[in-house]
Amino acid sequence: MLTCPNCGLPIRLESLACENCETTVMFDPQSLTVVRLGDAENAQGAALAPCANRTLLCNWAVPADAAQNLCFSCRITRRRPDGSDPASLEHLAVSYQAQRRLLIGLADLGLPVVPYWVTDGGLAFDLLDSTTSGEKVMIGQANGVITIDLAETLDAHREAQRVRLGEPYRTVLGHFRHEVGHYFSWQLVEKPGGPMLDELRELFGDERASYQDALDRHYSNGAPAQWATNYISEYATMHPSEDWAETFAHYQHILATLSTAANGGLRLVPPESTHFFDEMIVPRDSYADVDFSVALRDWRWVASFLNRANNAMGNDDLYPFRIPETVVAKLEFVHRVVRSSHTETPFVEAA
Ligand SMILES: [Zn+2]
Ligand SMILES: [Zn+2]
């Protein structure tokens, strides 16, 4: 559990200081723990220093003797606004935050994050701002490079897009989780040409199908009428690659939120009258060692509770989706793919 190194209370992933005792802190990506800003050492006893982008609200740490003064997350950002327009730096800070949360989620899942400086086709992020550059930015992934339009950090823009496209959910973090899905499909399933590739095509369709045709069809006809029985979202119906990326994003949404619930100590006690679940629901920090059906059982009740909690505040559902049986099979496949590549040292600094 992430706790304040001074007072021991739970602390947010993004915190620069504890909300309770005001101790200034940083997040150490190597140990995945929160440490004091001042005299902190990591598990290997090396001194830690704050990332030079702390002015952009980055709370990650770097080894004090490292050659560079930017953290792993800030360095894996390959292109970003130069700061000549102050507005773009505000957008960048929001995007950086989502990117760090993405990376921590991947580390929690044990997925290897191999950056572009280690290998050709390694992961890189281009965070480009169409609002200040005036240039069109296409959100996407190609050869390991994930491009995000910083315009998506603006509530008015993002919400207008969400309504225009009829989406129940649209967040910057969601974009990151979707695009990284394309990267991991390429790295873990398609690239080795291994036994999982056949299964990928059986479940999602042939990823080699023409993307342009799919795009044209989707934006002129929309999703097929009965889409909800086979897909997690309308966008997933467009192309097998998008179905995989949407499913992979949901896999991360579900496990990250269950992990947060576990860290917060959430327990759901079944009401006496129900026959739906007869034992207490206790979310786990990790579901790596169990069948994905365990995660889905827990998620069903945790999501149902969190939706009602959101509704109590006058907000829409936290998780405005239904998971049909066909999608359960796709999520189980994602679970097996993720487990097949488990690593204990997710953030790879050197070859
Ligand atoms: Zn504290
Ligand atoms: Zn940083």
Side-chain angles (χ1 to χ4, degrees):
M1 184 193 290
L2 283 184
T3 53
C4 169
N6 182 51
C7 73
L9 280 184
I11 199 163
R12 292 175 204 253
L13 225 43
E14 296 84 9
S15 290
L16 296 163
C18 172
E19 288 173 30
N20 178 50
C21 70
E22 298 179 1
T23 299
T24 48
V25 295
M26 16 178 216
F27 178 84
D28 173 28
Q30 292 308 319
S31 61
L32 300 176
T33 57
V34 174
V35 296
R36 277 173 203 273
L37 180 63
D39 51 2
E41 290 185 349
N42 67 12
Q44 290 78 40
L48 296 173
C51 173
N53 276 341
R54 201 168 165 96
T55 48
L56 292 171
L57 309 182
C58 177
N59 70 344
W60 277 27
V62 284
D65 58 1
Q68 19 60 31
N69 55 10
L70 288 175
C71 74
F72 185 87
S73 179
C74 289
R75 270 178 293 134
I76 204 169
T77 302
R78 196 182 64 159
R79 293 173 61 201
R80 48 158 276 191
D82 59 14
S84 52
D85 188 328
S88 67
L89 288 186
E90 278 178 37
H91 309 160
L92 179 65
V94 176
S95 189
Y96 266 159
Q97 178 178 307
Q99 182 184 300
R100 289 194 302 275
R101 195 171 265 274
L102 166 84
L103 294 177
I104 292 168
L106 297 177
D108 282 342
L109 294 175
L111 283 164
V113 180
V114 184
Y116 66 96
W117 65 79
V118 169
T119 183
D120 272 353
L123 204 55
F125 295 88
D126 285 358
L127 309 181
L128 309 177
D129 198 338
S130 65
T131 67
T132 53
S133 71
E135 281 168 29
K136 194 164 165 54
V137 175
M138 290 291 289
I139 299 173
Q141 187 278 149
N143 300 317
V145 179
I146 288 173
T147 303
I148 298 289
D149 184 1
L150 297 187
E152 290 287 321
T153 66
L154 300 172
D155 294 346
H157 170 86
R158 190 184 60 255
E159 184 64 5
Q161 292 290 91
R162 188 188 71 75
V163 171
R164 186 175 69 78
L165 296 166
E167 298 170 344
Y169 168 94
R170 188 178 181 96
T171 65
V172 179
L173 179 58
H175 288 309
F176 275 105
R177 285 180 173 159
H178 174 101
E179 299 306 335
V180 91
H182 288 300
Y183 167 76
F184 280 113
S185 171
W186 174 49
Q187 287 293 317
L188 304 178
V189 190
E190 295 163 45
K191 210 175 175 181
M196 287 179 139
L197 187 57
D198 289 339
E199 213 176 333
L200 177 85
R201 289 176 182 160
E202 249 167 63
L203 282 165
F204 296 87
D206 194 328
E207 80 287 352
R208 295 165 298 185
S210 163
Y211 196 83
Q212 191 57 50
D213 290 354
L215 206 62
D216 294 344
R217 189 174 57 246
H218 186 72
Y219 286 108
S220 53
N221 304 339
Q226 300 299 317
W227 68 267
T229 55
N230 291 314
Y231 298 92
I232 193 65
S233 68
E234 292 191 44
Y235 190 65
T237 67
M238 186 174 104
H239 187 275
S241 297
E242 299 306 341
D243 190 12
W244 160 274
E246 285 288 271
T247 307
F248 194 85
H250 276 259
Y251 180 79
Q252 295 169 84
H253 294 331
I254 291 167
L255 290 190
T257 309
L258 282 173
S259 172
T260 300
N263 279 309
L266 186 77
R267 301 273 186 283
L268 296 179
V269 181
E272 274 171 31
S273 58
T274 189
H275 53 278
F276 288 111
F277 65 117
D278 50 13
E279 54 187 274
M280 197 157 57
I281 299 293
V282 184
R284 302 174 190 219
D285 192 43
S286 166
Y287 291 83
D289 298 330
V290 293
D291 196 84
F292 198 63
S293 60
V294 179
L296 279 173
R297 192 247 352 233
D298 291 356
W299 180 241
R300 182 177 173 198
W301 299 109
V302 169
S304 161
F305 163 69
L306 293 175
N307 283 349
R308 281 177 278 126
N310 254 30
N311 298 161
M313 278 296 296
N315 286 317
D316 293 337
D317 286 358
L318 177 93
Y319 186 74
F321 299 95
R322 293 182 62 83
I323 303 176
E325 281 309 310
T326 321
V327 174
V328 169
K330 294 176 189 177
L331 284 165
E332 281 170 345
F333 176 68
V334 171
H335 190 53
R336 279 189 285 124
V337 170
V338 169
R339 287 165 80 185
S340 72
S341 62
H342 191 89
T343 174
E344 293 294 328
T345 50
F347 300 134
V348 180
E349 281 284 1

